[in-house]
Amino acid sequence: MLVMSRAPRKTRAYSRSIGGRKSNLRSTQIQYYLCLILNSHFFSFLTEVGTHFFILSCISAHLPKTEASHWQDVMKDLKHIQFLIQSLDIDTILYTESNAHPSCKITAMRCFLLELRVISYECNNTRLTETVENVIVIANTTLSSDRNIAESGCKECEELEEKNVGEFLRSFIHIVQSFIGTS
């Protein structure tokens, strides 16, 4: 049996039948009320305040964070890495700066960041790798303003003492705290 169907009619959003009569949003009466609402002083006040609020929100979202807040984010991630490492069996020895001289702390931080990549490489854990990468990005971004500072007399990374992951992270947290204290 062949059934022919009728193609559905296209309906407009502003015109549909209600109880035998058409409801049309384009009617003069509805336009009048919409115009009255949009032009009222109260609504224009809300619109002006809303516009100012929106603009200030956009500006504040793009304001740079202070350097100390970046280092506090690094600190939180390092504590998260410490927590993750407790549940993983990582037997890695890393070059660790235990007593960085204040005039060598940028060099020491760069060494810590290089060694942090080793943790990510040695461990096959996605959450740990993501957190390590986050620390590296935030710290390198924050250190980028200090690229032109020359530190002399500092140890090379390979000259540092080798320590286990737990001691490495404790020393790393200590150096980050020194950056927070000077910001």
Side-chain angles (χ1 to χ4, degrees):
M1 172 180 213
L2 181 61
V3 178
M4 295 183 72
S5 65
R6 193 176 191 193
R9 275 194 327 166
K10 291 184 179 179
T11 57
R12 295 183 182 164
Y14 60 85
S15 176
R16 65 172 206 234
S17 178
I18 299 177
R21 63 184 175 86
K22 275 192 170 182
S23 169
N24 194 344
L25 290 180
R26 290 188 178 186
S27 72
T28 320
Q29 198 172 29
I30 292 175
Q31 287 177 353
Y32 173 75
Y33 287 122
L34 286 174
C35 186
L36 184 65
I37 290 170
L38 292 174
N39 289 328
S40 70
H41 292 290
F42 179 72
F43 190 80
S44 66
F45 172 74
L46 285 178
T47 303
E48 186 176 329
V49 170
T51 303
H52 289 270
F53 178 76
F54 177 74
I55 290 170
L56 290 174
S57 297
C58 290
I59 290 170
S60 68
H62 292 287
L63 287 176
K65 292 172 96 175
T66 64
E67 191 172 310
S69 66
H70 287 294
W71 289 119
Q72 288 167 349
D73 291 341
V74 168
M75 182 72 77
K76 288 177 192 173
D77 283 341
L78 286 174
K79 294 202 183 235
H80 185 72
I81 290 170
Q82 271 185 326
F83 173 76
L84 290 173
I85 283 182
Q86 288 174 355
S87 64
L88 302 169
D89 185 30
I90 299 177
D91 187 26
T92 304
I93 303 297
L94 304 162
Y95 293 116
T96 305
E97 176 64 82
S98 298
N99 299 322
H101 191 272
S103 64
C104 291
K105 69 180 188 178
I106 293 172
T107 303
M109 178 57 73
R110 293 194 193 286
C111 290
F112 276 113
L113 294 173
L114 287 171
E115 290 297 293
L116 196 57
R117 289 191 188 280
V118 174
I119 294 174
S120 180
Y121 179 77
E122 293 286 328
C123 179
N124 191 15
N125 183 295
T126 307
R127 287 177 28 199
L128 180 65
T129 302
E130 289 172 354
T131 309
V132 164
E133 288 302 316
N134 195 45
V135 168
I136 291 170
V137 167
I138 294 171
N140 278 328
T141 303
T142 308
L143 285 176
S144 66
S145 63
D146 297 330
R147 285 189 197 257
N148 296 329
I149 295 175
E151 295 179 326
S152 60
C154 302
K155 291 182 182 178
E156 296 292 324
C157 297
E158 294 78 19
E159 296 175 332
L160 299 173
E161 192 177 343
E162 293 180 317
K163 296 188 177 181
N164 68 27
V165 176
E167 291 178 46
F168 169 82
L169 288 171
R170 281 189 290 280
S171 294
F172 198 166
I173 288 172
H174 180 72
I175 194 110
V176 170
Q177 287 170 340
S178 74
F179 275 91
I180 291 172
T182 59
S183 297

